[in-house]
Amino acid sequence: MASQQREDEPEAFRKALRQLLADELPAEIAARGLQGFHPMRQDIAAWQKILARRGWGASMWPVEFGGTGWSIRRQHEFEEACFLAGAPPQHFQSLRLVAPVVYTYCAPAQRERFLPPILNGEEFWAQGFSEPGAGSDLAALRTRAVRDGSDWVINGQKLWTSDAHFCDWVILLARTNLEVKPQRGISFLAVRLDSPGVTVRPVPGIDGACSLNEVFFEDVRAPAENLLGEQDAGWGHAKFLLGHERANTAEIPRLKRGVARIKSLAARPRPGARAPLAREPSFAFRLAEVEVDLIALQSTVWRVIDEEAAGMPSDITPSVMKIRGAELLQRINLLQVESLAEHALPFYPEPDDRTGPLPGPDYAAGAMADLLYRRAATVFGGSNEIQRNLIARNLLKG
Amino acid sequence: MDSYVPTADQRLLAGEVRRVLTEEHPFQSRHGAQDDLWAQAAELGWPMALAPESVGGIGGLAEAALLAEEFGRALRPEPLDLIGAVAHAALHAGAGAPMAEALLSAILEGSARPALSPVAAVEASPVERGWRLHGGSDLIWGATGANEVLVAAVSSGARLLARVAVDDPGVGFATAAGFDGRTTATLTLTDVILPAEAVIAEADGFLDLARDAYLVLGAATAVGAMSKVIDLSAAYIQTRKQFGVELASFQALQHHLADAYIERELARSMVSLGVETLLDEPDARTRERMAAAVKARVGEAGLVVGAKGVQLHGGVGVAEEFEVGHHYRRLLAFELTAGSRAAHLQRYAELSA
């Protein structure tokens, strides 16, 4: 069988992948990627276009919509190789949140409208779920959409909306029915962020960047055909999506890149010290702890992939991976800045905000910003405490 | 092992072992000295699961790990992990050595219950058609119920491995009760003369394989114990009431339970990785590094899970009558055996350099 034949040649695949990264990933994009700042739209779009041209733009989608038909293990290998080379991660909200809703729940006309621009890096989507009063508790959301003729009229506010400042669309969770239980009566709407009545206000982060936003909706009109999926069934769609989100948040490539960066930083000579930090036994010990914990997480990802392939998926292992992945990422980020010591202290602006020379060595750029931003890793995607509640509920139901 | 998911046959085997252990050897039946079921295990053919068909068995290291997990879950004292590790080493490092071949078939038929003295603290000197051994060690793995000992010895700087029965002339095998319901032992050899076919003259490969497999199968045993701790704790907090409500309704306790589960999940993945590495990885140094990672991670996980289980049980967690405290002691013993977490993290770091 052709597809098996393709899967049986890992060396040929790896060679083609190395070739692509060597020939087509622009060096300045890779350099920015390795620093750990928020990727810029122009970099994400450029890389997405390169991948789409190669036919590898949406390896996680079903083949009929532009996917590659790769095994899950190969998808992971692909993602990891790209990330370790410094390629910007493919846009998560667009490719992994919006696209699955569109190809799972939407009509052919909507699929044709929305999927190709995502695949080709032409349109980007923000995720409009969280609100000031509804973070982990989505049932509390208050943004309303009311039908008026052939339009939906939207009023409300979203918060923590990543990348809304550069996106074209927002996928909105809005209340479309007040007559039913809070979990029902919620729908998905596609809203253009340049619609009249939409205001995107950046929320400056403790990392000194503005990747998060507040988005305000004042009598914003969206045509009826922008309803995604079934009306009032958004709660179920959202749960499906968050399942997707959790399954991917072990973030193994990010963790591996972080460990590699620690090793390179800790091997540098230190002013005023007798040896590089890497040679201090207590530091080497903590690094070994992190590496072993990363192995445990990686082997759990493999086990989950095999269990899913065998038709024995676990409800709660994604929560395990989310909790441990986020905690491990924060420990790795801390070891990075410890390796930099005082060199981590200067404030390095985001690449697109820079006017003058860097305030310190180039190898230090981005490490502190990444640590500060990733304090949110244990908060977003369902906080680690919510995940622990889910695990406990599952263990206690028997 | 092609996959981290057990095959249908493997699940069937593990399920049968669990059924026998829970129905015929429940925790309640044990007070003071524990029963020993190795004779029954041999009748049921369980030792044959420790090696593949090519040598007369029905399994291998993956099956050994599943059995070890069940033995851990059932709090069994018999050292299936060590016996399985010896079988693995005899299979892969003993080809052509009469001692290893005889040992392996005796293990599979259930007659050999080897312990291992892994530190080459015994002196060996060649005699005509054999060896003289003299010395001893108080570091013995798998002593519980052992009827023979595999003794690492040193001769002119090289390690060899000798097989002695505990009641051979000149062999002292003094046992003592361990704090975890198993047995510790001290071995003394007083001018013991062995024929050449009772000795593997170049035993580095055997000893390294046995050690790595013991770490992984010990980890599997610990995973079984952790699973039982989680089951016991989940059941207990849903039974016990305080302030008029089930303990399970308190989020702080739910999170202890969730943390225990997280540790167990990662530990189980490490065992799968360990088995896969020992079966497929040709490089000895990589095998040793991964076995060290397994021991470090699972040792720590066991301490966390055991301690959380005792905490979730409240006062009865420290009562001898309750099962959870027995598992805690087993998990603590696992951490202390064959190198602690600190030692293995250090080893991992050295082997990564």
Side-chain angles (χ1 to χ4, degrees):
Chain A
M1 286 184 295
S3 66
Q4 273 193 351
Q5 192 67 30
R6 212 166 49 228
E7 284 295 328
D8 285 342
E9 295 163 0
E11 276 316 314
F13 168 72
R14 279 173 205 147
K15 193 172 163 215
L17 180 52
R18 277 196 302 272
Q19 195 80 43
L20 177 83
L21 288 166
D23 294 350
E24 300 212 41
L25 175 62
E28 69 276 11
I29 292 184
R32 280 194 288 272
L34 291 172
Q35 288 178 340
F37 290 106
H38 300 286
M40 303 187 291
R41 172 169 176 148
Q42 65 191 74
D43 288 357
I44 306 172
W47 181 236
Q48 181 64 35
K49 285 182 211 299
I50 291 166
L51 291 179
R53 271 203 306 275
R54 183 68 178 73
W56 292 353
S59 59
M60 68 300 275
W61 294 3
V63 174
E64 66 233 74
F65 304 117
T68 51
W70 292 340
S71 68
I72 306 278
R73 277 202 187 221
R74 177 158 293 183
Q75 290 176 37
H76 281 245
E77 189 181 343
F78 169 73
E79 231 177 286
E80 183 172 309
C82 293
F83 195 81
L84 292 178
Q90 292 181 264
H91 198 243
F92 188 90
Q93 294 89 318
S94 307
L95 281 132
R96 290 187 187 273
L97 286 171
V98 172
V101 167
V102 171
Y103 60 66
T104 309
Y105 296 114
C106 291
Q110 287 178 315
R111 293 173 182 170
E112 279 156 34
R113 166 62 190 88
F114 292 126
L115 293 178
I118 292 177
L119 179 59
N120 296 319
E122 289 152 359
E123 289 185 347
F124 290 91
W125 289 70
Q127 173 198 333
F129 291 7
S130 294
E131 296 184 5
S136 293
D137 176 16
L138 284 180
L141 67 85
R142 299 173 62 168
T143 296
R144 293 218 45 202
V146 177
R147 196 57 190 270
D148 178 34
S150 62
D151 285 345
W152 292 97
V153 179
I154 299 145
N155 280 284
Q157 180 189 356
K158 294 290 171 181
L159 188 57
W160 313 127
T161 315
S162 300
D163 302 341
H165 56 295
F166 71 58
C167 283
D168 309 283
W169 292 88
V170 60
I171 182 168
L172 203 61
L173 268 183
R175 195 165 287 291
T176 43
N177 188 342
L178 296 177
E179 311 289 305
V180 290
K181 281 205 308 184
Q183 284 90 341
R184 301 183 192 278
I186 295 171
S187 303
F188 271 121
L189 287 169
V191 179
R192 281 204 65 87
L193 282 163
D194 57 6
S195 307
V198 175
T199 309
V200 176
R201 196 159 76 195
V203 180
I206 59 173
D207 55 343
C210 293
S211 69
L212 303 169
N213 302 274
E214 286 177 289
V215 187
F216 298 90
F217 300 86
E218 257 184 68
D219 294 327
V220 175
R221 301 188 83 85
E225 65 264 26
N226 283 20
L227 179 75
L228 299 181
E230 217 178 301
Q231 187 173 334
D232 296 347
W235 179 256
H237 300 350
K239 271 173 63 179
F240 161 81
L241 272 187
L242 292 175
H244 265 244
E245 193 177 356
R246 268 206 304 281
N248 288 294
T249 40
E251 295 221 77
I252 299 290
R254 188 178 296 283
L255 299 173
K256 286 190 178 167
R257 201 171 82 181
V259 167
R261 190 169 186 187
I262 295 168
K263 287 183 170 174
S264 126
L265 292 175
R268 305 187 70 86
R270 288 183 297 166
R274 59 199 154 85
L277 196 56
R279 302 247 301 272
E280 299 289 351
S282 65
F283 187 87
F285 186 84
R286 287 168 64 211
L287 181 57
E289 271 184 327
V290 158
E291 288 191 77
V292 166
D293 285 355
L294 176 51
I295 290 170
L297 199 60
Q298 169 79 79
S299 55
T300 302
V301 171
W302 286 333
R303 183 155 68 84
V304 166
I305 292 170
D306 286 350
E307 284 172 355
E308 281 178 6
M312 300 189 287
S314 155
D315 292 343
I316 46 178
T317 318
S319 292
V320 170
M321 294 190 295
K322 198 279 171 176
I323 291 170
R324 272 309 166 93
E327 290 173 351
L328 191 52
L329 182 56
Q330 293 177 344
R331 284 162 59 202
I332 286 170
N333 278 331
L334 194 58
L335 287 178
Q336 279 183 9
V337 298
E338 282 184 46
S339 311
L340 285 164
E342 282 92 339
H343 287 135
L345 298 180
F347 172 65
Y348 291 77
E350 295 272 312
D352 46 355
D353 287 342
R354 282 181 204 151
T355 48
L358 290 177
D362 59 351
Y363 57 79
M368 180 60 85
D370 197 36
L371 176 146
L372 294 169
Y373 175 69
R374 302 274 162 205
R375 291 313 305 173
T378 45
V379 176
F380 58 49
S383 73
N384 277 21
E385 288 71 27
I386 293 280
Q387 306 294 349
R388 286 186 167 86
N389 291 351
L390 292 173
I391 293 171
R393 194 179 308 155
N394 199 291
L395 293 172
L396 292 170
K397 75 188 174 191
Chain B
M1 188 158 67
D2 298 330
S3 157
Y4 282 22
V5 180
T7 63
D9 281 350
Q10 290 170 337
R11 286 202 302 277
L12 207 64
L13 172 69
E16 175 60 11
V17 170
R18 182 179 300 189
R19 187 192 65 73
V20 171
L21 293 179
T22 38
E23 288 178 7
E24 300 178 27
H25 303 273
F27 169 72
Q28 288 80 354
S29 74
R30 277 175 244 149
H31 290 286
Q34 292 202 340
D35 62 336
D36 187 291
L37 57 63
W38 201 251
Q40 184 190 8
E43 271 170 40
L44 293 169
W46 293 354
M48 291 174 62
L50 303 179
E53 284 173 27
S54 57
V55 291
I58 54 161
L61 193 65
E63 286 75 10
L66 291 172
L67 256 59
E69 183 175 337
E70 293 306 326
F71 271 53
R73 168 180 269 279
L75 205 62
R76 293 309 312 169
E78 301 84 5
L80 186 125
D81 44 10
L82 190 271
I83 299 171
V86 167
H88 177 77
L91 175 68
H92 293 279
M99 187 274 249
E101 287 173 6
L103 172 65
L104 184 55
S105 36
I107 288 175
L108 295 187
E109 71 182 33
S111 59
R113 287 269 300 264
L116 177 63
S117 172
V119 179
V122 168
E123 288 283 336
S125 44
V127 296
E128 197 183 339
R129 288 197 295 276
W131 297 86
R132 173 190 287 117
L133 281 83
H134 192 82
S137 175
D138 58 3
L139 201 164
I140 306 293
W141 293 343
T144 309
N147 59 8
E148 57 177 80
V149 191
L150 299 169
V151 187
V154 65
S155 171
S156 314
R159 284 197 298 175
L160 52 82
L161 189 69
R163 184 181 178 201
V164 300
V166 294
D167 52 6
D168 274 351
V171 174
F173 192 69
T175 58
F179 76 96
D180 66 340
R182 291 182 295 189
T183 308
T184 63
T186 302
L187 175 76
T188 49
L189 300 179
T190 312
D191 290 326
V192 174
I193 306 291
L194 290 178
E197 58 268 24
V199 172
I200 297 175
E202 290 173 9
D204 283 349
F206 188 111
L207 284 165
D208 289 351
L209 280 179
R211 175 204 59 217
D212 292 344
Y214 184 45
L215 297 176
V216 170
L217 293 178
T221 313
V223 165
M226 286 184 241
S227 300
K228 192 64 189 284
V229 167
I230 290 167
D231 290 353
L232 290 168
S233 302
Y236 183 78
I237 65 172
Q238 290 179 98
T239 312
R240 172 92 170 137
K241 288 186 173 176
Q242 289 279 272
F243 308 106
V245 293
E246 278 181 12
L247 289 181
S249 65
F250 296 110
Q251 194 183 39
L253 302 192
Q254 291 174 7
H255 284 194
H256 279 314
L257 190 64
D259 284 331
Y261 180 83
I262 293 166
E263 293 288 341
R264 199 284 312 269
E265 280 295 280
L266 295 172
R268 171 166 286 160
S269 308
M270 285 305 260
V271 170
S272 300
L273 176 69
V275 169
E276 183 186 66
T277 304
L278 295 194
L279 288 177
D280 298 344
E281 173 57 54
D283 178 52
R285 188 180 159 96
T286 305
R287 286 197 305 263
E288 181 180 354
R289 187 162 64 92
M290 294 311 288
V294 170
K295 179 61 165 71
R297 184 85 278 287
V298 180
E300 161 141 36
L303 289 185
V304 171
V305 173
K308 296 228 180 247
V310 170
Q311 181 70 19
L312 284 167
H313 277 73
V316 303
V318 294
E320 178 73 8
E321 185 188 342
F322 278 73
E323 190 175 349
V324 69
H326 295 252
H327 285 292
Y328 175 69
R329 282 177 282 178
R330 280 293 168 79
L331 290 165
L332 180 54
F334 172 64
E335 165 63 6
L336 301 178
T337 300
S340 67
R341 170 173 167 269
H344 282 289
L345 280 174
Q346 183 68 35
R347 196 78 195 111
Y348 179 87
E350 286 165 12
L351 291 165
S352 303

